[in-house]
């Protein structure tokens, strides 16, 4: 289970939204606080840790923590079986994308030469990083152990591509996400842990984006999110809440 360090950049950078969010400043930050159901102490904590970060970066990381990092934290805490968490930190060679959403897939599956992998990564992606990640996923599929410490009270997270392709197998802590403070004081992630989780917030209301994105799954085949074809769900499958039909574009 894992995330990329700059998930939000895939959505904010290509269309110029990063600059717009920065211009909105406090208004954008207030919107993120409302979306994440947190008080002002949370963004203040992020700002204290990263005083040079722009508003868009703080908003992006705040929402990423709320939607991805912290829910995965809770999931790992709840599982009886060992869980292994990772962060992908290698920044794309394309300007501004950073370690954006889904960038790690070409490394996990060692498909760096494929057009779908080159588009977000740019030319010259490090093969040694792909070798390290692909080997870890193969080990996990084969033996159930990717090669780093499982989740425990210390919250180890394996970071790939931070400064070196393979920076060691010991515990690491992410640049923004869930972390333990050595002094025990509240960090932004600890404050977010006190706020409602995304799946517990207003359960009767389904986000508009999910409603629109879910339409192809409800009946006939349609385009998938990565350019493949989404298979229609059978009548029996449509009766099962939460069922999503497989897409031929995904492994």
């Amino acid at each position: 289970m894992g995330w990329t360090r700059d998930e939000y950049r895939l959505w904010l950078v290509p269309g110029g939204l990063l600059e717009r969010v920065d211009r909105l400043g406090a208004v954008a930050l207030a919107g993120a606080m409302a979306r994440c159901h947190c008080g002002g102490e949370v963004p203040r904590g992020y700002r204290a840790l990263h005083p040079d970060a722009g508003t868009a970066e703080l908003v992006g990381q705040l929402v990423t923590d709320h939607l991805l990092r912290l829910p995965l934290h809770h999931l790992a805490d709840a599982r009886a079986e060992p869980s292994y968490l990772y962060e992908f930190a290698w920044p794309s060679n394309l300007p501004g994308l950073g370690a954006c959403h889904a960038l790690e897939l070409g490394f996990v599956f060692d498909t760096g030469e494929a057009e779908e992998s080159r588009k977000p990564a740019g030319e010259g992606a490090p093969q040694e990083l792909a070798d390290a990640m692909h080997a870890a996923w193969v080990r996990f599929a084969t033996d159930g152990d990717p090669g780093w410490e499982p989740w425990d009270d210390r919250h180890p997270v394996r970071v790939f591509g931070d400064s070196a392709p393979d920076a060691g197998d010991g515990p690491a802590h992410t640049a923004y996400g869930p972390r333990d403070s050595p002094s025990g004081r509240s960090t932004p992630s600890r404050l977010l842990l006190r706020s409602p989780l995304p799946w517990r917030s207003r359960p009767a209301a389904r986000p508009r984006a999910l409603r629109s994105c879910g339409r192809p799954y409800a009946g006939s085949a349609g385009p998938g999110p990565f350019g493949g074809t989404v298979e229609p769900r059978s009548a029996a499958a449509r009766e099962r809440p939460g069922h999503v039909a497989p897409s031929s574009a995904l492994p």
Side-chain angles (χ1 to χ4, degrees):
M1 299 186 289
W3 54 82
T4 66
R5 182 165 290 181
D6 305 309
E7 295 273 355
Y8 66 97
R9 287 184 172 269
L10 181 63
W11 299 291
L12 295 187
V13 170
L17 289 177
L18 194 75
E19 292 79 9
R20 296 182 189 178
V21 172
D22 276 334
R23 287 198 298 269
L24 286 171
V27 174
L29 201 54
M33 290 164 55
R35 176 67 181 85
C36 297
H37 309 285
C38 67
E41 70 276 8
V42 175
R44 284 197 295 270
Y46 280 84
R47 178 68 73 187
L49 285 171
H50 303 277
D52 296 328
T55 300
E57 183 175 351
L58 295 180
V59 166
Q61 295 292 357
L62 175 62
V63 174
T64 297
D65 276 359
H66 180 68
L67 295 178
L68 288 172
R69 294 189 182 106
L70 291 177
L72 289 176
H73 232 197
H74 284 277
L75 180 58
D77 284 337
R79 294 188 73 243
E81 299 297 323
S83 298
Y84 300 88
L85 271 66
Y86 74 91
E87 175 177 286
F88 184 77
W90 180 79
S92 168
N93 286 325
L94 298 183
L97 277 185
C100 67
H101 178 71
L103 183 61
E104 83 273 29
L105 296 181
F107 296 86
V108 167
F109 296 104
D110 194 14
T111 55
E113 296 302 317
E115 182 180 0
E116 292 80 2
S117 299
R118 291 202 308 271
K119 280 182 178 179
E123 298 296 333
Q127 180 59 44
E128 59 270 26
L129 178 56
D131 292 341
M133 295 192 73
H134 186 66
W137 264 249
V138 170
R139 284 195 301 268
F140 180 74
T142 304
D143 305 321
D145 183 352
W148 66 88
E149 294 185 63
W151 187 257
D152 57 23
D153 292 340
R154 295 169 300 142
H155 298 173
V157 176
R158 176 70 163 86
V159 180
F160 285 97
D162 192 357
S163 57
D166 195 350
D169 295 329
H173 297 279
T174 63
Y176 273 94
R179 78 197 75 184
D180 294 319
S181 170
S183 63
R185 63 183 174 82
S186 292
T187 61
S189 59
R190 285 179 181 266
L191 296 170
L192 273 176
L193 282 168
R194 302 171 191 166
S195 64
L197 291 174
W199 56 79
R200 294 177 185 166
S201 305
R202 293 176 287 184
R206 191 180 183 200
R208 182 179 302 173
L210 291 181
R211 289 200 298 269
S212 61
C213 290
R215 285 172 187 159
Y217 295 95
S220 60
F226 300 103
T229 300
V230 176
E231 299 297 333
R233 294 192 295 178
S234 65
R238 288 196 293 271
E239 296 298 321
R240 298 200 299 273
H243 175 79
V244 176
S247 168
S248 60
L250 299 177

